[in-house]
């Protein structure tokens, strides 16, 4: 499939993650003077977002991200977000991390599916980046970093043809295939059906550069129009209004990719069907080599570009709960099926000394609660060393 | 009017590809074969007339050790004069099987030699033309394979140059079907009627169409330029090229000259599949806008102009259609696949 998809996937999922975290942190917000030591304040919230955003847009990381590569599996990509979510003082337990990832992926699936044109996924990405800049607008250096990434997007994607964008779209949809987790905010807005499938409207403006269906024109040998008829299309479409801007700044027109967790709405980040769907997914994806060596090599390189700043001093990790109550979170943790393939893969390189040190450093900072069980195949330098406990 | 018939369940959902349904009608055996791409695997299902599934098989793209499973781009039955082969294209190469998918008879690895690192390498676009099987590639080259009446001695006989961007689809029809009396050659500049009869058309990501005449050496007859949108699906009937585009437009061209004869604002999203019922001149178009439309093609006997009328439209609610085919030569039944849908939807006219 397309080798240009990873930046779009990563930046958009990252954007959704920030929307959700921002919303949850606001929901648990305590006024600064009244807060106990372990409760969230406005200052804490801004700090969490700042830390995650600065890690996300780290120059080395972005450079690795934009290199042509195949799309990672969902498992592999999840490890990047696990790490990103912990790039701050915030701590999420596995159940909350699962839920966060479910919400992120379903939101982006919805956005990609409903993009009028394949190229509009770029507008979705700009919407996310515009909102991210809003989170850190009081930090010009960080805004500049995000702008540089926007510039790279324009350079990498600005000149692609419609055909290339279609391949990108197909690649993204392959990534999201068979995910049908029900998200309450989608169900409420009637953009998702109770069977987990998204509603595809047959009304509204047609995409830019598409005509409203219904007209048939016929021409003779010389190219002269000789007949014009109309047919009933079945939908209720109107002409496209205007094209969104693909510049650094501008009116994107498209609403997909903007923050749907606005401050006014009560937060409902309830998901259901997760365990059932992921269990059936894990059955399908039990292949002999779930994280192929090549993929792991790319992943290690990418993560190598991630700079995590360890929290200084004896600060407690602030715990964030994605569920409404602590009891719900505990319950979700208990009902997670055993074979859920979410665990972070523990890698120990042996032969390549330099890579070994780098990876050990990266992986050492991870908090892994469970050791996964994978069987090693002999001769693989990077993939082989999964702990057998 | 169409009504929903019994669906055929699939083991895996259909991938978001274009032309993601192939149908092999075997009326003699009272069977229909269906082929759908899931991702790294493709599924073949055989069904009885009422849609009762009888047999299933999964095929996988050939892989290299240590690398993630390559994705399949298309699966398609090729009807040749003396045999039927099932062709599977992927990001690795081209696999050809006996028609039931039981035995692989040929494997061709793609040469990614001059591809830049950012370029995806794959084969896509499959059609038979006489005793040749033609397959498109990422670079625009069309590979022509010479297929013997039986056995695995398939040979790459020619590489057609004509496209500069990735091939999307290929369509063909028998030259004899078009013009049994040899009428078409009259009044044109060809040396003989046979010279002008186009029997294959290839399409690419830029919207360019190339019209060919098959033979021991394929000859490029005409090129029909695109207009920015990819041509995602193409059909050929009685010298008429039907082309579906990424912007929802459906165009009909005179194959021998490339003249545009009809332009239809057919869909609100990218067209992903076209199919023909050649006996009756019916064309179906399916798109990501959830609609399937049936059209009637016609040649005006007085002036030779191509005419088209809309017969029927069917909405497949909340489904991004990715494949659609007629299931019988009269076009009275059709099958549809959709992204993320683990079943083949069937419709029949009432």
């Amino acid at each position: 499939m397309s080798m240009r998809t990873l930046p779009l996937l990563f930046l958009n999922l990252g954007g959704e993650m920030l929307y959700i975290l921002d919303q949850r942190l606001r929901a648990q917000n305590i006024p600064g003077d009244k807060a106990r030591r372990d409760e969230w304040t406005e200052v804490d919230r801004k700090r969490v977002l700042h830390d995650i955003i600065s890690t996300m847009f780290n120059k080395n990381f972005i450079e690795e991200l934009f290199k042509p590569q195949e799309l990672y599996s969902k498992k592999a990509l999840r490890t990047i977000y696990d790490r990103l979510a912990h790039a701050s003082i915030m701590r999420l337990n596995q159940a909350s991390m699962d839920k966060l990832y479910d919400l992120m992926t379903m939101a982006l699936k919805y956005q990609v599916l409903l993009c009028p044109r394949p190229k509009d996924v770029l507008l979705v990405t700009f919407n996310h980046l515009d909102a991210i800049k809003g989170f850190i607008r009081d930090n010009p250096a960080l805004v500049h970093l995000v702008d540089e990434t926007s510039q790279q997007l324009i350079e990498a994607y600005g000149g692609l043809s419609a055909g290339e964008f279609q391949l990108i779209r197909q690649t993204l949809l392959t990534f999201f295939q068979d995910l049908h987790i029900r998200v309450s905010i989608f169900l409420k807005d009637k953009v998702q059906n109770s069977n987990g499938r998204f509603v595809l409207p047959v009304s509204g403006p047609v995409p830019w550069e598409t005509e409203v269906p219904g007209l048939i024109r016929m021409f003779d040998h010389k190219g002269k129009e000789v007949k014009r008829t109309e047919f009933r299309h079945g939908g209720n479409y109107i002409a496209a209004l205007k094209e969104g801007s693909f510049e650094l700044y501008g009116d994107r027109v498209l609403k997909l990719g903007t923050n749907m967790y606005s401050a006014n709405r009560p937060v409902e980040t309830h998901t259901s069907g997760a365990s059932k769907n992921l269990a059936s997914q894990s059955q399908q994806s039990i292949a002999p080599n779930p994280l192929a060596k090549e993929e792991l090599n790319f992943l290690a390189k990418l993560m190598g570009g991630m700079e995590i700043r360890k929290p200084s001093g004896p600060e407690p990790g602030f715990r964030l709960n994605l569920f409404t109550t602590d009891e719900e979170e505990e319950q979700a943790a208990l009902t997670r099926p055993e074979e859920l393939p979410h665990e972070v893969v523990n890698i120990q390189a042996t032969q390549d000394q330099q890579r070994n040190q780098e990876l050990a450093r990266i992986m050492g900072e991870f908090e892994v609660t469970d050791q996964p069980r994978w069987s090693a195949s002999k001769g693989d330098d990077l993939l082989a060393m999964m702990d057998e406990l | 009017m169409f009504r929903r018939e019994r669906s055929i369940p699939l083991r895996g959902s259909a991938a978001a590809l274009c032309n993601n349904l192939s149908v092999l009608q075997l009326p003699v055996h009272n069977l229909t074969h269906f082929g759908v791409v899931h991702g790294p695997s493709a599924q073949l299902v055989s069904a009885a007339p009422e849609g009762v599934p009888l047999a299933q098989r999964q095929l996988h793209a050939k892989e290299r050790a240590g690398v993630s499973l390559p994705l399949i781009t298309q699966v398609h039955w090729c009807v040749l004069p003396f045999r039927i082969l099932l062709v599977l294209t992927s990001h690795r190469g081209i696999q050809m099987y006996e028609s039931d998918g039981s035995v692989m008879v040929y494997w061709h690895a793609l040469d990614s030699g001059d591809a830049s690192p950012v370029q995806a390498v794959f084969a896509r676009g499959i059609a038979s033309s006489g005793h040749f099987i033609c397959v498109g590639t990422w670079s625009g080259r069309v590979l022509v394979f010479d297929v013997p009446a039986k056995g695995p001695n398939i040979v790459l006989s020619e590489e057609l140059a004509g496209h500069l961007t990735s091939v999307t689809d290929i369509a063909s029809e028998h030259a004899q079907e078009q013009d049994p009396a040899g009428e078409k050659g009259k009044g044109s500049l060809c040396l003989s009627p046979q010279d002008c009869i186009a029997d294959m058309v290839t399409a690419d990501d830029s919207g360019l169409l190339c019209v060919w005449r098959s033979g021991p050496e394929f000859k490029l007859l005409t090129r029909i330029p695109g207009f920015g949108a990819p041509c995602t699906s193409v059909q050929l009937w009685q010298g008429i090229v039907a082309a579906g585009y990424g912007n929802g437009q459906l165009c009909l061209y005179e194959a021998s000259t490339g003249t545009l004869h009809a332009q239809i604002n057919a869909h609100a999203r990218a067209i992903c599949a076209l199919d023909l019922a050649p006996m009756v001149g019916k064309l179906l178009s399916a798109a990501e806008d959830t609609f399937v439309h049936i059209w009637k093609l016609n040649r005006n006997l007085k002036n030779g102009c191509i005419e088209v009328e809309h017969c029927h439209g069917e909405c497949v609610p909340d489904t991004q259609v990715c494949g659609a085919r007629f299931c019988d030569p009269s076009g009275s039944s059709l099958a549809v696949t959709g992204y993320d849908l683990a079943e083949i939807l069937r419709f029949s006219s009432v």
Side-chain angles (χ1 to χ4, degrees):
Chain A
M1 289 270 111
S2 173
M3 306 284 271
R4 297 177 161 104
T5 326
L6 190 62
L8 298 174
L9 192 62
F10 174 76
L11 292 171
N12 285 306
L13 283 176
E16 285 302 313
M17 185 171 90
L18 289 165
Y19 290 163
I20 296 163
L21 292 177
D22 174 63
Q23 225 299 333
R24 288 308 291 167
L25 291 169
R26 282 178 195 274
Q28 299 190 341
N29 207 10
I30 315 286
D33 52 340
K34 297 197 181 71
R36 296 196 316 264
R37 210 162 172 246
D38 57 346
E39 284 179 331
W40 290 104
T41 66
E42 171 80 1
V43 169
D44 294 325
R45 180 183 65 81
K46 283 199 163 164
R47 195 174 143 197
V48 166
L49 297 179
H50 175 279
D51 287 349
I52 294 175
I53 292 169
S54 66
T55 309
M56 246 178 96
F57 291 90
N58 170 282
K59 256 189 130 86
N60 292 333
F61 180 75
I62 293 289
E63 200 182 300
E64 281 298 325
L65 188 72
F66 272 82
K67 287 187 180 160
Q69 53 199 305
E70 281 185 26
L71 208 50
Y72 299 160
S73 65
K74 284 190 277 292
K75 279 191 282 292
L77 204 64
R78 163 72 190 261
T79 59
I80 302 180
Y81 291 103
D82 274 353
R83 193 167 149 100
L84 201 56
H86 290 88
S88 68
I89 53 173
M90 182 184 67
R91 290 292 167 265
L92 292 168
N93 73 12
Q94 281 301 334
S96 275
M97 191 63 223
D98 286 346
K99 186 169 176 185
L100 177 61
Y101 196 60
D102 287 347
L103 288 169
M104 284 157 57
T105 43
M106 285 309 288
L108 188 57
K109 178 173 183 174
Y110 168 69
Q111 288 156 19
V112 172
L113 203 52
L114 262 84
C115 265
R117 283 180 307 178
K119 187 178 179 179
D120 292 342
V121 73
L122 216 49
L123 294 174
V124 172
T125 317
F126 283 128
N127 274 332
H128 280 114
L129 293 180
D130 292 344
I132 287 171
K133 284 195 287 191
F135 285 138
I136 39 129
R137 71 173 80 86
D138 44 4
N139 186 330
L142 211 44
V143 168
H144 178 72
L145 212 55
V146 178
D147 272 343
E148 279 194 346
T149 303
S150 293
Q151 198 55 48
Q152 268 203 279
L153 272 175
I154 294 169
E155 276 163 29
Y157 296 94
L160 294 187
S161 68
E164 280 160 323
F165 273 112
Q166 194 184 48
L167 191 65
I168 287 171
R169 176 188 160 83
Q170 289 176 346
T171 309
L172 287 169
L173 289 176
T174 304
F175 182 83
F176 294 119
Q177 202 168 333
D178 299 324
L179 281 179
H180 300 297
I181 300 159
R182 292 187 295 280
V183 177
S184 71
I185 197 173
F186 288 141
L187 295 169
K188 200 180 216 176
D189 286 350
K190 301 231 190 307
V191 300
Q192 190 180 28
N193 294 321
S194 54
N195 61 6
R197 288 166 199 283
F198 289 114
V199 172
L200 300 182
V202 294
S203 58
V206 289
W208 191 255
E209 286 162 347
T210 291
E211 302 287 338
V212 175
L215 183 64
I216 306 173
R217 300 167 71 200
M218 285 174 271
F219 308 89
D220 65 12
H221 300 290
K222 298 193 188 71
K224 195 176 87 147
E225 185 177 313
V226 293
K227 199 172 177 189
R228 198 178 257 239
T229 60
E230 287 195 9
F231 73 95
R232 262 194 63 224
H233 169 73
N236 190 16
Y237 293 101
I238 57 172
L241 303 163
K242 67 179 193 177
E243 191 180 18
S245 162
F246 291 91
E247 307 289 317
L248 202 56
Y249 295 95
D251 178 9
R252 311 300 178 191
V253 179
L254 195 65
K255 291 288 163 263
L256 295 169
T258 56
N259 194 346
M260 61 179 169
Y261 306 98
S262 74
N264 297 331
R265 302 179 68 142
V267 173
E268 275 194 53
T269 48
H270 175 64
T271 58
S272 58
S275 49
K276 196 163 58 159
N277 280 305
L278 282 171
S280 64
Q281 256 181 72
S282 72
Q283 270 165 34
Q284 277 180 355
S285 59
I286 289 172
N289 208 2
L291 269 184
K293 185 172 81 170
E294 215 174 73
E295 180 180 63
L296 218 57
N297 282 338
F298 278 120
L299 184 60
K301 256 192 113 189
L302 188 65
M303 307 262 271
M306 249 185 180
E307 258 179 46
I308 300 291
R309 284 173 302 151
K310 269 185 119 82
S312 55
E315 284 182 86
F318 279 71
R319 213 174 62 77
L320 181 68
N321 183 357
L322 263 280
F323 296 83
T324 341
T325 63
D326 283 348
E327 288 71 37
E328 251 190 72
E329 191 187 42
E330 268 173 44
Q331 190 58 35
L334 289 171
T335 54
R336 239 181 46 236
E338 277 308 308
E339 64 277 6
L340 204 62
H342 69 278
E343 290 93 348
V344 173
V345 167
N346 196 20
I347 304 169
Q348 287 171 32
T350 50
Q351 282 160 22
D352 190 334
Q353 268 301 99
Q354 202 175 30
R355 215 185 248 170
N356 181 15
Q357 282 165 4
E358 180 61 15
L359 281 168
R361 182 185 75 76
I362 293 167
M363 291 304 158
E365 293 169 28
F366 247 68
E367 271 178 40
V368 179
T369 49
D370 291 304
Q371 295 292 339
R373 269 147 243 203
W374 305 104
S375 59
S377 49
K378 289 195 173 103
D380 287 354
D381 54 359
L382 204 59
L383 182 62
M385 319 303 131
M386 310 300 170
D387 288 331
E388 281 284 300
L389 298 178
Chain B
M1 285 298 113
F2 277 84
R3 68 152 183 261
R4 275 287 299 271
E5 300 286 357
R6 181 193 170 129
S7 297
I8 301 171
L10 290 169
R11 264 210 205 126
S13 58
L17 299 162
C18 292
N19 305 304
N20 191 5
L21 176 64
S22 182
V23 170
L24 180 66
Q25 304 166 23
L26 297 170
V28 172
H29 302 277
N30 233 5
L31 269 186
T32 310
H33 289 334
F34 299 86
V36 182
V37 177
H38 166 63
S41 66
Q43 203 176 342
L44 309 179
V45 187
S46 305
E50 266 68 67
V52 177
L54 298 171
Q56 269 222 37
R57 191 189 290 274
Q58 278 198 315
L59 299 177
H60 295 264
K62 253 166 96 77
E63 50 188 291
R64 273 197 332 252
V67 183
S68 55
L69 295 171
L71 295 175
I72 299 174
T73 52
Q74 199 174 0
V75 68
H76 189 66
W77 273 282
C78 288
V79 178
L80 303 152
F82 297 106
R83 69 198 293 194
I84 299 173
L85 289 182
L86 176 72
V87 180
L88 194 148
T89 50
S90 73
H91 284 252
R92 199 72 66 229
I94 301 158
Q95 292 153 240
M96 299 191 191
Y97 297 80
E98 295 297 355
S99 65
D100 61 357
S102 56
V103 178
M104 192 187 322
V105 297
Y106 184 71
W107 155 248
H108 175 91
L110 281 175
D111 175 19
S112 61
D114 46 351
S116 73
V118 83
Q119 178 77 48
V121 170
F122 54 86
R124 183 177 61 185
I126 307 165
S128 62
S129 187
H131 61 92
F132 296 103
I133 288 179
C134 298
V135 181
T137 65
W138 58 276
S139 63
R141 293 258 198 94
V142 175
L143 307 177
V144 181
F145 296 92
D146 195 333
V147 182
K150 56 182 180 180
N153 218 13
I154 296 165
V155 172
L156 174 63
S157 70
E158 207 182 342
E159 290 191 31
L160 307 178
H163 293 280
L164 297 172
T165 60
S166 306
V167 173
T168 49
D169 195 21
I170 306 178
S172 69
E173 77 171 332
H174 299 302
Q176 279 210 306
E177 276 170 13
Q178 285 179 48
D179 185 23
E183 296 282 329
K184 282 252 293 297
K186 291 182 183 168
S188 60
L189 293 169
C190 303
L191 292 173
S192 75
Q194 274 62 42
D195 271 3
C196 287
I197 294 178
D199 55 13
M200 190 169 89
V201 60
T202 53
D204 75 19
D205 258 353
S206 73
L208 172 70
L209 297 164
C210 289
V211 182
W212 309 84
R213 193 214 60 220
S214 68
E217 264 182 36
F218 277 63
K219 183 175 168 193
L220 179 63
L221 297 180
T222 188
R223 305 177 82 183
I224 305 171
F227 46 84
C231 176
T232 47
S233 195
V234 73
Q235 289 288 334
L236 186 59
W237 181 73
Q238 306 244 331
I240 302 170
V241 172
Y245 295 87
N247 68 345
Q249 242 177 16
L250 176 58
C251 293
L252 303 178
Y253 304 91
E254 181 70 63
S256 53
T257 59
T259 313
L260 174 70
H261 275 272
Q263 190 179 57
I264 310 169
N265 298 338
H267 291 275
R269 295 284 188 279
I271 291 177
C272 60
L274 295 179
D275 198 29
L276 274 173
M279 262 170 52
V280 292
K282 277 214 196 127
L283 175 75
L284 72 71
S285 65
E288 292 182 3
D289 66 356
T290 78
F291 281 90
V292 176
H293 286 294
I294 316 284
W295 315 85
K296 178 82 178 61
L297 303 183
N298 189 45
R299 243 192 218 283
N300 187 318
L301 292 168
K302 281 188 285 191
N303 54 21
C305 281
I306 299 163
E307 291 173 347
V308 61
E309 63 176 298
H310 180 256
C311 298
H312 179 70
E314 192 72 36
C315 174
V316 189
D318 302 329
T319 305
Q320 186 184 278
V321 179
C322 56
R325 295 276 179 191
F326 284 115
C327 291
D328 69 274
S330 66
S332 54
S333 61
L334 49 110
V336 174
T337 54
Y339 164 66
D340 245 1
L341 214 57
E343 56 182 351
I344 301 171
L345 306 174
R346 289 171 60 249
F347 298 85
S348 64
S349 63
V350 291

